[in-house]
Amino acid sequence: MAGLISLRANLNLTCRVPSRQAFHTLHVFSPCNIKYPIPSFTGIGPLKKPLLLVPAALEVSSMDTSLPSGDVLNVWRSADAVCFDVDSTVCLDEGIDELADFCGAGQAVAEWTTRAMNGAIPFEEALAARLSLFKPSLSQVHDFLEKRPPRISPGIAVLITKLKENGTDVYLVSGGFRQMIEPVASTLGIPFENIFANNLLFGDSGEFLGFDASEPTSRSGGKALAVQQIREAHHYKTLVMIGDGATDLEARKPGGADLFICYAGVQMREAVAREADWIVFNFKELVNNLP
C-alpha cells in the first residue's frame, strides 16, 4: 500500500495510555509524556465487576495517514457485514496474555503471542504451547474475569452502534476464548451467535483439559474459513475484516473478506500493515467515513 504511514516528530507530544501495560506501538513515536485516563465503567451480564471502558487510548496528533482509494471507501460504506478481531482491536489487551499473567506465566506466553500474531509460527502450535505453560482452571478464568474485566478500545462502541444503525451486521472473529469474549459481546450488543472463537475445555472438577480443536479459529487460516462460512451462510455481497494480526489479514481472500482494515491503535505490526487496504489508528476515522 503506497503512502503507508507518514510521521513527524513532535517532542511536545502527549500520549495517553492505559495503566495495565504499555502499548507496544510507542516505539514508532518521538519521546512522549504519558498520562493515565480516568476510567468509566459499564455493567455486564453475569460478572460482578464491570468492564472497563477506557475513554482515551493513544492519541497522536503528529501522525498523518492517507485516506484509501475511492474504491476502498465505497466497499467500507456499502458493507453488509463487518467482522472484528477482538484482542488488540475491540479490546486493548491480548486476552490470553492477560490470563497468563494473572496465572503467573505472562512473559513466556506473551513471547509466543508476538510470534503467532506476526505469522512466524502456525497459530495452532502457538495456541497449544501458550496454554500448556499455565493450564488455567475454570475457577481461575472466573476469578480473572472478575478481577481484570476486559478493557474495551476507545471508539469501538460508537463504531459498532453506527454500523448497526446502518443495517450492517457485526461479528467477532477471534483466536481468543469464548469464555472471555461473551462479556465483551454483551456490552457491545453483539449476539452470542455472532461470535466465532475458541472454546476452553474443562473437566467435571473445573480442571483444564485443553481447547476445542474443531473450532476453525483454533488453527492457521481459521479466521479466513470462519469469515467464508459467515458470508456463505448469510449471502453477504460485501464483507469487511478489521484487525491487527496476520490471521486477520488472511481473511481477505476470494469468498472471504473483500477488504482488510488494519487497526493499529494498540499494536503496529508492520508486516500486516504493509498488506492492508487501509490503516487506521482511531475508530473515529471509520465512523467519519460511514454514510
Side-chain angles (χ1 to χ4, degrees), residues 44-257:
I44 59 172
L47 296 184
K48 294 179 182 177
K49 290 193 176 181
L51 287 179
L52 174 59
L53 294 177
V54 180
L58 196 59
E59 296 181 357
V60 183
S61 60
S62 63
M63 178 169 290
D64 293 329
T65 55
S66 301
L67 277 176
S69 69
D71 288 343
V72 168
L73 286 173
N74 286 338
V75 171
W76 170 239
R77 291 166 179 164
S78 64
D80 298 313
V82 176
C83 297
F84 287 92
D85 174 40
V86 177
D87 295 337
S88 296
T89 302
V90 170
C91 292
L92 290 168
D93 304 300
E94 291 288 333
I96 190 171
D97 292 359
E98 291 295 309
L99 179 59
D101 181 64
F102 183 79
C103 296
Q107 185 172 351
V109 169
E111 291 172 359
W112 276 95
T113 297
T114 298
R115 294 171 64 192
M117 292 302 98
N118 288 330
I121 53 176
F123 184 81
E124 59 272 26
E125 179 182 335
L127 183 60
R130 287 179 289 177
L131 287 171
S132 71
L133 289 171
F134 65 106
K135 299 180 180 178
S137 67
L138 182 59
S139 63
Q140 283 178 311
V141 173
H142 287 165
D143 287 346
F144 168 75
L145 288 171
E146 283 202 12
K147 294 174 181 177
R148 293 193 187 181
R151 301 185 303 158
I152 306 296
S153 292
I156 188 65
V158 174
L159 174 57
I160 288 175
T161 297
K162 181 67 174 175
L163 287 168
K164 292 193 293 185
E165 287 175 352
N166 287 353
T168 302
D169 292 335
V170 175
Y171 295 83
L172 300 179
V173 181
S174 174
F177 305 114
R178 177 173 290 274
Q179 289 90 339
M180 297 160 65
I181 293 172
E182 286 183 351
V184 176
S186 246
T187 297
L188 297 174
I190 298 171
F192 286 178
E193 58 266 29
N194 286 16
I195 299 173
F196 288 73
N198 293 315
N199 199 30
L200 292 170
L201 302 177
F202 302 99
D204 293 339
S205 300
E207 74 277 15
F208 173 76
L209 295 179
F211 63 92
D212 186 353
S214 69
E215 293 286 355
T217 52
S218 69
R219 53 191 179 271
S220 293
K223 283 189 180 179
L225 178 59
V227 169
Q228 287 176 324
Q229 291 174 349
I230 290 168
R231 186 165 190 160
E232 290 173 4
H234 299 276
H235 306 289
Y236 292 129
K237 292 182 179 179
T238 310
L239 188 148
V240 173
M241 180 75 202
I242 300 176
D244 70 296
T247 56
D248 306 310
L249 174 62
E250 289 175 346
R252 185 191 61 193
K253 62 192 308 182

Side-chain angles (χ1 to χ4, degrees), residues 17-22 36-37 151:
V17 298
S19 58
R20 187 180 297 166
Q21 66 179 34
Y36 296 99
R151 301 185 303 158

